[in-house]
Every structure is written in structure tokens, then in C-alpha cells.
Amino acid sequence: MTGVNSAVETLMSGTNTLFILLGAIMVLLMHGGFAFLEVGTVRHKNQVNALVKILTDFGVSTLAYFFIGYQIAYGSNFFAGASELTVNNGYELVKFFFLLTFAAAIPAIVSGGIAERAKFYPFLLASFLIVAFVYPFFEGIIWNGNYGFQSWLEESYGAGFHDFAGSIVVHGVGGWVAFAAIYLLGSRNGRYRNGKVVAFAPSNIPFLALGAWILTVGWFGFNVMSAQTVDGISGLVAVNSLMAMVGGTLVAMLVGKNDPGFIHNGPLAGLVAVCAGSDIMHPIGSLVVGGVAGALFVYVFTLAQNKFSKFDDVLGVWPLHGLCGVWGAIAAGIFGSEAMGGLGGVSMMAQIIGTVAGVVIAVGGGFIVYGLLKAVAGLRLNEEDEFNGADLSIHKISSTCDD
């Protein structure tokens, strides 16, 4: 009997390791989506830079999270022999890989906001600092119970801050860190004339659409695999993600008047918003949450582009990730309640407090990191390099050959 139990445990351990590994691979693929979404949105002279930033940011993020960030968030490290690291089929190693792909999404989000005029190495250094210190500090508070914050919320309001897959922990933090970077960087040269916005059309709609599709498909690994074990998997998470994606797409289509940029960002807005409550909301509630997120993105992106003359958010990452993330966390408190057809176990006051805490930490950390780098090394390209484009100025090659 002992042998049977041991075999079952080994099988479950291996299955859980494979399960979370597949999730890590799906979210890793999402970084390709970030890359192509940016490639399709920026002008031709900045396409190579978009691709290079996402890949190198991931490399820098891996080192930052492996050596520093994971320790801050979970109190664990991998400074042990390989024999210890392979316990339970190396599940803890693969769990790190999965959570790393979340952490690396922060600089990938920022990249879209600061495109076309940012220096290369200062922002790589910023990515290291954000992933090493700012993101894991809040991640550990919410997902590991660090510093007693969640316990205090439970004692005070009956439930902790609920963020199943990262509406605030990942997307909200990324969007609000980007807010600080975009503000400090300033707008692209020629973007605003006489108080009016000058349209910089997307360079490649098919690439933009490809990026959106890669992100959308990978998101089902992002959300569903957040269970982290096979016995925790829920079809509710998958269908809630689906409904929010559809809601975001269709509302963005209507509100955005068939604009392909809005239509392809609509599903992403819905998916950002549903992350927090995807495990507790009813599918109809998720459809509403996604639809509101789609409208929120279109309205705020348009407002920011036309009215905030110094806030040049190229891909709209602040409304898409920052504001839709805030909406998603609050929505989990609304549509996750039993009164709205959800599973319950969530407190609106805890959702509000947790959301505010995430925004404050992200904005504060962003201004500290990027503010220091601006003072020491500068954040943006000089006027000539920006005019020539980041591809030639930084990488000495263009995305296509004229021959």
C-alpha cells in the first residue's frame, strides 16, 4: 500500500510540474505578443528597437527575479545543490519560471508606453530594479501574505485582497509604473503642435493584430494556470476569461468606431480586468467586466492622447493595464459576491484598499527608479537620434532592407 501511495504522489508531483511548466511556456509566449503589438504600433524606424527591448528586458528580469526578487516575494532562493532543487520533480523551480514570466511582464508593459524616444541601457537598468525590488515587494504582500497586510484585511473586513491572476499585482503595477516612466520621459518630438495631437499612424496593422492574438491565447495560461496545481484547475476561470475577452472586443469595436487598433486592444483590456476575479465571478458578470474595460480603454486612451500634451503613452499601456487593472480588482468585489452570482468570499473594502496600495507602491517605485536614472543618466534619446529612429541610433540597422 505504501508503494501505491508513493507512486500516486510521484505521479501527482510530475503532473503538477508539467501543468505549471505549460503555463510558464504559454505566458513566455505572451512576451512575443507584447513585442509584435509594439512593432505594429510604432513607426517603421523603431520596429527593431521594440523587438530587442522585449527580449533583453526578459533576460534582465530573469536575473533580477532569480537572484533578488523571488527571495523578497517568497523568502526562497535557489542557492542549494541540484539534488535539493529536483525534489518533487523540480516543481519549485518551474513555479519560479511561471512567476518569473509574470514579473517580466512589468518591463514589457512599460516598453509600450515609452516607445520611440527612450534610451536603451537606462531602461534596461530600470527594468532590473523594478523586477528586483518594486514588483516583488507588492507581489509578496498579496500572494505570500508578507508584512501581515492580508491578515489585517481579513480581520478588519472579513476577507483579504482577492487578485487571483494579477489584475493589480501584475497589470496594475505594470501600468502605473509605466505612468511614472511616461510622465518623466515626456512626449515624442512632433507629437503635439499648437496644442493639438499629430497622428502617428501604426506602421503595421497585421503585426499589431498578431501581437494581440498571441497575447490573447497565452492569457488562458496566464489565468487558468494561476491555480498552480492540477487539482486547483477550474473551467470557470477559462470561460470567465473567454467572456471578458469577448466583451472587451465587441465594446471596443462599437465605442472605437471600428478602429482596428481599438478592436485588437479590446480583448486585452477585458482580459486584464478579469484576472482578479476570474475564479469567483459568473460568466455573465465577466462579460460585463470585460465590456466596461473595453470602453474604459477607448475613452481614456483617446482623452489622454488629445488632452494630456506631455503624456505620450504610445500603446496606451496606462489605461489598458493600469486603469483596467484597477477596474478589474474593484469588479471582483462586485461581481464576485454571491448577490451577483459569484462564489463570494470577497470584501469590497478590502478590494479598494488593496488596489490603492498597489497603485501607490507602483507609482512611488516608478518615480523613484526612473527619477534617479533621469538625474544620473538621462532617459531619452537626443533630438537627432530620436529623429533618425531608435533602430539606426541604437542598433545600427533598420527593420527592412531597401534593396
Side-chain angles (χ1 to χ4, degrees):
M1 199 66 174
T2 302
V4 172
N5 290 337
S6 177
V8 170
E9 289 177 2
T10 300
L11 177 62
M12 283 305 300
S13 175
T15 303
N16 285 333
T17 300
L18 177 61
F19 173 75
I20 198 169
L21 174 60
L22 293 175
I25 292 169
M26 290 181 73
V27 184
L28 175 62
L29 180 61
M30 290 177 70
H31 289 265
F34 282 120
F36 278 101
L37 190 71
E38 185 173 336
V39 167
T41 304
V42 299
R43 290 169 290 178
H44 284 101
K45 61 183 180 180
N46 297 294
Q47 289 182 326
V48 172
N49 184 242
L51 293 169
V52 170
K53 281 189 301 177
I54 300 299
L55 186 58
T56 53
D57 271 336
F58 191 89
V60 166
S61 296
T62 299
L63 297 182
Y65 199 63
F66 184 88
F67 288 105
I68 303 173
Y70 195 73
Q71 170 78 29
I72 290 174
Y74 300 102
S76 300
N77 61 60
F78 303 106
F79 305 128
S83 60
E84 294 182 39
L85 299 180
T86 54
V87 172
N88 295 324
N89 300 92
Y91 176 82
E92 288 300 320
L93 284 172
V94 180
K95 179 182 176 181
F96 155 79
F97 181 15
F98 180 66
L99 292 172
L100 160 68
T101 60
F102 282 46
I106 306 300
I109 291 168
V110 174
S111 176
I114 54 89
E116 300 203 328
R117 76 275 198 201
K119 286 184 175 180
F120 185 60
Y121 287 110
F123 272 91
L124 274 184
L125 178 56
S127 297
F128 183 93
L129 295 173
I130 293 293
V131 174
F133 300 105
V134 179
Y135 169 74
F137 174 72
F138 185 65
E139 177 192 18
I141 287 175
I142 302 304
W143 285 345
N144 198 49
N146 295 353
Y147 308 110
F149 180 75
Q150 290 282 44
S151 297
W152 170 71
L153 288 177
E154 291 174 10
E155 293 173 4
S156 302
Y157 305 106
F161 177 62
H162 188 91
D163 191 356
F164 178 69
S167 284
I168 285 294
V169 175
V170 180
H171 299 285
V173 168
W176 286 97
V177 166
F179 177 90
I182 294 163
Y183 180 86
L184 291 170
L185 192 60
S187 61
R188 288 168 288 177
N189 292 328
R191 181 61 167 158
Y192 299 94
R193 294 176 187 169
N194 301 320
K196 294 184 179 181
V197 64
V198 176
F200 289 172
S203 61
N204 193 308
I205 295 297
F207 275 163
L208 186 158
L210 174 63
W213 270 109
I214 294 172
L215 283 166
T216 297
V217 173
W219 224 297
F220 287 85
F222 195 102
N223 285 1
V224 175
M225 267 76 164
S226 285
Q228 298 188 16
T229 56
V230 172
D231 61 345
I233 194 172
S234 171
L236 182 65
V237 177
V239 174
N240 280 340
S241 300
L242 173 68
M243 297 301 280
M245 179 199 84
V246 169
T249 302
L250 297 180
V251 172
M253 175 191 69
L254 295 172
V255 177
K257 301 177 181 179
N258 301 328
D259 182 285
F262 288 141
I263 290 172
H264 285 93
N265 276 282
L268 310 184
L271 286 162
V272 166
V274 81
C275 285
S278 58
D279 62 325
I280 58 173
M281 295 191 297
H282 189 279
I284 296 175
S286 296
L287 180 66
V288 175
V289 169
V292 171
L296 180 64
F297 170 72
V298 174
Y299 279 127
V300 177
F301 178 82
T302 303
L303 176 67
Q305 293 296 310
N306 292 324
K307 300 297 183 181
F308 304 166
S309 61
K310 293 184 179 180
F311 190 79
D312 187 8
D313 183 355
V314 180
L315 268 67
V317 298
W318 172 60
L320 181 65
H321 298 274
L323 295 182
C324 289
V326 166
W327 159 240
I330 301 301
I334 301 171
F335 294 95
S337 66
E338 293 184 27
M340 296 297 288
L343 297 180
V346 65
S347 161
M348 177 55 72
M349 186 56 68
Q351 293 305 108
I352 293 172
I353 293 173
T355 298
V356 171
V359 171
V360 169
I361 290 170
V363 172
F367 272 106
I368 290 172
V369 170
Y370 294 109
L372 286 173
L373 286 172
K374 183 177 182 178
V376 173
L379 294 178
R380 68 179 296 159
L381 298 171
N382 62 46
E383 191 169 338
E384 181 181 356
D385 286 344
E386 184 178 341
F387 176 81
N388 291 331
D391 293 357
L392 293 177
S393 299
I394 298 173
H395 309 291
K396 313 305 179 186
I397 193 169
S398 59
S399 61
T400 56
C401 179
D402 294 332
D403 294 338

